Amino acid sequence: MEGEASVNKLHTQIEIKPQGQEPPPPHSSVVDNSEMDIQPEGKLPFFKSRYRQRASDTWLISLLVILHLVAFITTTLFNYFSTGSVFFQPLSENPLLGPSASTLDKVGALRRAFLVQNHLNWRFFVCPWLHAGIIHFAINISCMIFIGIHLERDYGPLRIGVIYLLSAFFGSLVCSLFVRNNPVVTSSGALFGLLGTMLSGLIRNWKVYSSKGAALAALMTVLATNFLLGLLPYIDNFANIGAFISGLLLGFVLLLTPQIRQMSKNKAGLFECGVKHSKSTIKLKQKLALDRPILRSISLILFVILLSGCLVALFLGIDINHYCGWCRFIDCIPYRRWSCNDGPNTCEIMKSNSEMTLTCLYNGNTRVFPFTNISQARINDLCAMIC
């Protein structure tokens, strides 16, 4: 009995003071992973977020994509009811696999005659939502999502929304000074505004970001791809140039500092502001929020001057093509598969019971079409195609 009691006593002592272990620290059983989401030291892959994002952080870009999609579907339906047979014109007529020129005119594309003669200024607000074809839509929307989501997460939807809309409108204004008598759309202008904003944010916070070379390479790749796309018919490159300048200037004005969330010990990836210590984070916020007032002021003044100058030139009906004969090659490069001619096209029309023959009086080209019951606007489209 005595041996049994000693064993129980020893067992009790072991339970009270286990050897080789230390008591757990208080309040250590529950750890909030969302607050401790800190990556190890080292640079992150390009455009990879260090912190968990909420779905609501990108509601602006999601809304813009939906609006562009609705406008594209509407344009496609207009083209179907106008032609009576197809949603997209063949590549020989529209190299971007999109609607006809007459359909673009109906839905709100810009053209010199509409602005100067008819004063249809509502097109400035519709044209930035239109796309020239499914190829244009796919490339433009993909790039907008790629760039826009990271800008919205870092700088907030309000600032990016203001820059997006002002850049789109400013791009349409610049387009009106160069547009000829061919229909053009300016939806790529807003994307170039975001690219300008990205560049200004990178320049302004150069010491904050890592992977700056990769960021510039991505920016130049997206910019070059969409600029080359603008050399095709129906896309205006002058709107892209104007919107890029607008986005760059407005970025210097509005992008004071990225929205700093969870910090790491090392620099963050592009548009992920990170510093070494929390005290440095506070100082960085104050510095970026208060510094460079001269840069912001100069950028704002330049933007107001450019915007006012474009508005005055629009009201005066100025056509810069009269003073710059080579500027048309920035907007459209002639090629045997499409035409950049904006002059009046005249065709001789011959109709039979089931066929229509068009002969261009400018170059003598002749084409036979297996239909006769089409509108005059559609005849003009086909005449422009063969001329």
Side-chain angles (χ1 to χ4, degrees), residues 1 9 28 55 100 140 163 243 285 301 306:
M1 296 292 293
K9 184 176 180 181
S28 63
S100 63
N140 187 67
I163 294 175
K285 279 187 175 182
I301 292 173
L306 291 175

Side-chain angles (χ1 to χ4, degrees), residues 90-164:
L91 294 175
S92 59
E93 183 175 350
N94 186 335
L96 295 164
L97 197 61
S100 63
S102 58
T103 299
L104 290 175
D105 287 337
K106 292 178 182 178
V107 296
L110 294 179
R111 189 194 283 257
R112 171 64 54 182
F114 294 151
L115 300 177
V116 177
Q117 300 174 8
N118 301 326
H119 303 286
L120 301 178
N121 295 328
W122 57 269
R123 294 175 178 268
F124 285 111
F125 305 98
V126 177
C127 192
W129 303 99
L130 302 178
H131 289 83
I134 190 171
I135 298 176
H136 181 208
F137 177 82
I139 295 177
N140 187 67
I141 294 300
S142 300
C143 295
M144 187 182 75
I145 293 174
F146 175 68
I147 299 296
I149 282 179
H150 294 278
L151 289 176
E152 183 180 359
R153 283 175 175 174
D154 286 338
Y155 298 109
L158 179 60
R159 293 175 181 175
I160 299 304
V162 170
I163 294 175
Y164 185 93

Side-chain angles (χ1 to χ4, degrees), residues 20-305:
Q21 295 184 3
E22 294 182 1
H27 307 292
S28 63
S29 58
V30 179
V31 179
D32 188 358
N33 292 329
S34 63
E35 297 296 332
M36 299 296 294
D37 187 16
I38 302 178
Q39 300 292 334
E41 293 187 7
K43 295 183 178 180
L44 292 179
F46 180 59
F47 271 137
K48 182 176 180 181
S49 179
R50 281 180 177 265
Y51 42 80
R52 192 180 307 167
Q53 296 288 353
R54 298 174 299 172
S56 60
D57 287 344
T58 58
W59 66 265
L60 173 65
I61 297 300
S62 301
L63 176 61
L64 294 176
V65 170
I66 293 174
L67 292 176
H68 279 289
L69 180 61
V70 170
F72 183 71
I73 294 176
T74 303
T75 305
T76 303
L77 293 177
F78 263 92
N79 191 72
Y80 177 79
F81 291 115
S82 297
T83 60
S85 58
V86 294
F87 290 102
F88 306 115
Q89 300 308 119
L91 294 175
S92 59
E93 183 175 350
N94 186 335
L96 295 164
L97 197 61
S100 63
S102 58
T103 299
L104 290 175
D105 287 337
K106 292 178 182 178
V107 296
L110 294 179
R111 189 194 283 257
R112 171 64 54 182
F114 294 151
L115 300 177
V116 177
Q117 300 174 8
N118 301 326
H119 303 286
L120 301 178
N121 295 328
W122 57 269
R123 294 175 178 268
F124 285 111
F125 305 98
V126 177
C127 192
W129 303 99
L130 302 178
H131 289 83
I134 190 171
I135 298 176
H136 181 208
F137 177 82
I139 295 177
N140 187 67
I141 294 300
S142 300
C143 295
M144 187 182 75
I145 293 174
F146 175 68
I147 299 296
I149 282 179
H150 294 278
L151 289 176
E152 183 180 359
R153 283 175 175 174
D154 286 338
Y155 298 109
L158 179 60
R159 293 175 181 175
I160 299 304
V162 170
I163 294 175
Y164 185 93
L165 295 177
L166 287 178
S167 297
F169 179 70
F170 186 79
S172 296
L173 285 180
V174 175
C175 170
S176 68
L177 304 181
F178 293 89
V179 68
R180 298 180 294 161
N181 209 28
N182 289 329
V184 294
V185 297
T186 62
S187 55
S188 295
L191 169 63
F192 274 76
L194 294 181
L195 292 174
T197 304
M198 175 182 170
L199 179 60
S200 65
L202 185 62
I203 294 175
R204 184 178 181 84
N205 304 295
W206 184 262
K207 296 181 180 180
V208 177
Y209 302 131
S210 64
S211 303
K212 292 180 280 290
L216 290 175
L219 187 150
M220 295 305 299
T221 300
V222 174
L223 190 148
T225 300
N226 286 271
F227 186 84
L228 292 176
L229 193 67
L231 298 177
L232 299 178
Y234 307 127
I235 302 177
D236 193 84
N237 256 342
F238 292 105
N240 298 340
I241 296 173
F244 181 82
I245 297 174
S246 172
L248 182 67
L249 294 176
L250 290 175
F252 285 130
V253 175
L254 297 178
L255 303 187
L256 304 180
T257 176
Q259 293 179 352
I260 301 175
R261 300 184 184 182
Q262 183 62 47
M263 298 298 103
S264 69
K265 295 181 180 180
N266 198 22
K267 288 186 177 181
L270 178 66
F271 297 127
E272 296 165 8
C273 187
V275 290
K276 293 184 178 180
H277 303 287
S278 59
K279 292 182 179 180
S280 301
T281 303
I282 298 175
K283 292 180 180 180
L284 179 62
K285 279 187 175 182
Q286 295 174 350
K287 181 179 180 181
L288 292 179
L290 299 176
D291 72 345
R292 303 176 184 174
I294 297 178
L295 176 62
R296 290 199 295 271
S297 301
I298 293 177
S299 300
L300 179 60
I301 292 173
L302 287 176
F303 175 76
V304 172
I305 292 175

